[in-house]
C-alpha cells in the first residue's frame, strides 16, 4: 500500500520554493523519492534548500523562476528537463498577499496579487501540460488555494478573489486536461504560521481567529504533508478537479 506514495523516478517542480509551504513541500517530495526542482527568485535561499535536501540523501535543483515572466517559466522547465527529464509533478505554490480594503487598495497591488496567485497558476500549469502532452506521459498538478477561497476576511479581498479563481481554474484544468492523462487538484490550507503570516497569530486578532477554529489551534506545516503526497501520487489516481481543505475544521464554524 505504501508504494502508492513512492515518487521515485518522478520529477517535481515547485514554484515559490524558497520559503514557507514551498520550502516544506520540496523536502516532502524529495523524501518520497522525487527529483525536486525548486523555483523562485531568491537564489541564496534555494541553494540552502538544495544543500539540505542533498544532505538528507535527496535529489534537487534550484532554478531562477519569476512566475510572471513567460521566458523565465520556459527556462525553468528547460533546466528541469535537462537535469531530470520531463516534469511530471507540478506544485503551483507561489503566492503573495496585499492587505487593504477594496476601496483603498491600489490597482498595482490588485494586479500583483492576481498575476502571481491566479494568472501564474494558469501560465505555469499550461507549460507543464503542454510538455507532458508532447512527451506522451501523464502527470499531476497541485494548485495551492486557501480556505479564504471559501471564507471571508476583512482587507483580504484581492487574495480571496485570487484563491477563489484558483479553485475554479483547477476544475477547468482538470476537465480539459484529463484526456492528456494530467490530473489537476487543489490543496486549500487553513491557517499555518509561515513567513507570510509573520507574528499575526501572536496578536489579539490572531488569538481571536484561533478561537474560531474548532480545533482551537493553527496547523503544523507537517500536517500538509500527507494531503500533498496523496494528490501527487498514484494513491489519488482517480482524483481530479478535487479540492482538499486542511483547516482544523475552520470552514465548519457556525455563522
Amino acid at each position: 500500500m505504501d508504494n502508492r506514495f513512492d515518487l521515485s523516478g518522478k520529477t517535481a517542480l515547485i514554484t515559490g520554493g524558497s520559503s514557507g509551504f514551498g520550502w516544506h513541500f520540496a523536502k516532502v517530495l524529495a523524501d518520497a523519492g522525487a527529483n525536486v526542482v525548486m523555483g523562485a527568485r531568491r537564489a541564496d535561499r534555494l541553494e540552502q534548500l538544495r544543500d539540505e535536501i542533498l544532505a538528507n540523501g535527496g535529489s534537487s535543483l534550484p532554478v531562477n523562476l519569476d512566475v510572471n515572466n513567460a521566458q523565465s517559466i520556459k527556462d525553468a522547465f528547460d533546466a528541469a528537463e535537462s537535469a531530470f527529464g520531463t516534469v511530471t509533478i507540478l506544485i503551483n505554490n507561489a503566492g503573495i498577499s496585499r492587505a487593504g480594503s477594496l476601496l483603498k487598495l491600489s490597482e498595482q497591488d490588485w494586479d500583483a496579487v492576481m498575476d502571481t496567485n491566479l494568472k501564474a497558476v494558469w501560465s505555469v500549469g499550461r507549460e507543464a501540460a503542454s510538455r507532458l502532452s508532447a512527451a506522451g506521459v501523464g502527470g499531476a498538478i497541485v494548485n495551492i488555494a486557501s480556505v479564504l477561497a471559501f471564507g471571508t476576511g476583512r482587507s483580504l479581498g484581492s487574495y480571496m478573489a485570487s484563491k477563489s479563481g484558483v479553485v475554479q481554474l483547477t476544475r477547468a484544468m482538470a476537465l480539459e486536461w484529463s484526456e492528456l492523462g494530467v490530473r489537476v487538484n487543489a490543496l486549500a490550507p487553513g491557517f499555518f504560521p509561515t513567513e507570510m503570516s509573520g507574528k499575526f497569530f501572536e496578536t489579539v486578532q490572531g488569538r481571536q481567529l484561533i478561537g474560531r477554529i474548532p480545533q482551537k489551534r493553527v496547523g503544523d506545516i507537517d500536517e500538509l504533508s500527507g494531503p500533498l503526497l496523496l494528490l501527487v501520487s498514484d494513491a489519488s489516481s482517480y482524483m481530479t478537479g478535487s479540492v482538499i481543505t486542511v483547516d482544523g475544521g475552520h470552514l465548519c464554524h457556525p455563522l
Side-chain angles (χ1 to χ4, degrees):
M1 194 72 171
D2 290 346
N3 289 338
R4 296 184 184 183
F5 297 92
D6 182 18
L7 304 180
S8 298
K10 297 184 182 295
T11 298
L13 173 63
I14 303 173
T15 70
S18 61
S19 64
F21 290 159
W23 181 285
H24 178 71
F25 293 159
K27 290 186 172 183
V28 171
L29 299 187
D31 287 346
N35 302 309
V36 180
V37 181
M38 306 87 65
R41 291 178 292 181
R42 291 187 284 178
D44 57 330
R45 293 277 294 170
L46 292 178
E47 290 170 1
Q48 179 185 347
L49 177 56
R50 174 202 59 198
D51 292 345
E52 290 186 16
I53 291 174
L54 292 178
N56 201 38
S59 174
S60 69
L61 174 73
V63 296
N64 181 273
L65 174 59
D66 178 354
V67 295
N68 294 316
N69 182 290
Q71 188 58 54
S72 180
I73 294 170
K74 292 181 184 296
D75 290 346
F77 276 88
D78 286 344
E81 289 181 2
S82 295
F84 302 124
T86 303
V87 172
T88 52
I89 296 171
L90 170 65
I91 312 298
N92 265 318
N93 170 73
I96 62 172
S97 179
R98 295 287 186 269
S101 72
L102 294 175
L103 281 177
K104 295 181 179 180
L105 190 72
S106 70
E107 184 174 354
Q108 181 179 6
D109 281 345
W110 174 273
D111 288 345
V113 171
M114 291 299 164
D115 285 349
T116 301
N117 293 7
L118 181 56
K119 181 181 178 181
V121 172
W122 165 71
S123 54
V124 179
R126 181 177 64 168
E127 187 69 22
S130 296
R131 293 182 183 234
L132 287 167
S133 178
V137 296
I141 296 174
V142 178
N143 299 325
I144 305 304
S146 168
V147 291
L148 285 172
F150 309 101
T152 59
R154 291 188 180 276
S155 300
L156 292 170
S158 60
Y159 185 83
M160 290 159 48
S162 69
K163 292 301 185 178
S164 295
V166 168
V167 168
Q168 286 296 81
L169 179 58
T170 296
R171 292 166 175 156
M173 288 174 163
L175 180 64
E176 295 189 17
W177 296 346
S178 286
E179 62 188 30
L180 303 177
V182 178
R183 297 185 301 105
V184 188
N185 295 289
L187 188 60
F191 291 93
F192 291 77
T194 64
E195 291 180 26
M196 184 181 292
S197 63
K199 296 184 177 181
F200 170 73
F201 297 111
E202 300 175 13
T203 67
V204 172
Q205 295 90 342
R207 290 193 294 271
Q208 290 174 342
L209 185 151
I210 293 172
R212 295 194 295 272
I213 300 172
Q215 291 191 353
K216 304 302 181 186
R217 64 179 179 87
V218 294
D220 183 288
I221 198 166
D222 195 48
E223 291 175 304
L224 293 171
S225 303
L228 178 75
L229 284 174
L230 169 66
L231 294 179
V232 301
S233 69
D234 291 341
S236 61
S237 57
Y238 198 53
M239 291 177 65
T240 194
S242 298
V243 182
I244 296 180
T245 56
V246 185
D247 67 347
H250 198 179
L251 292 180
C252 301
H253 190 277
L255 297 176

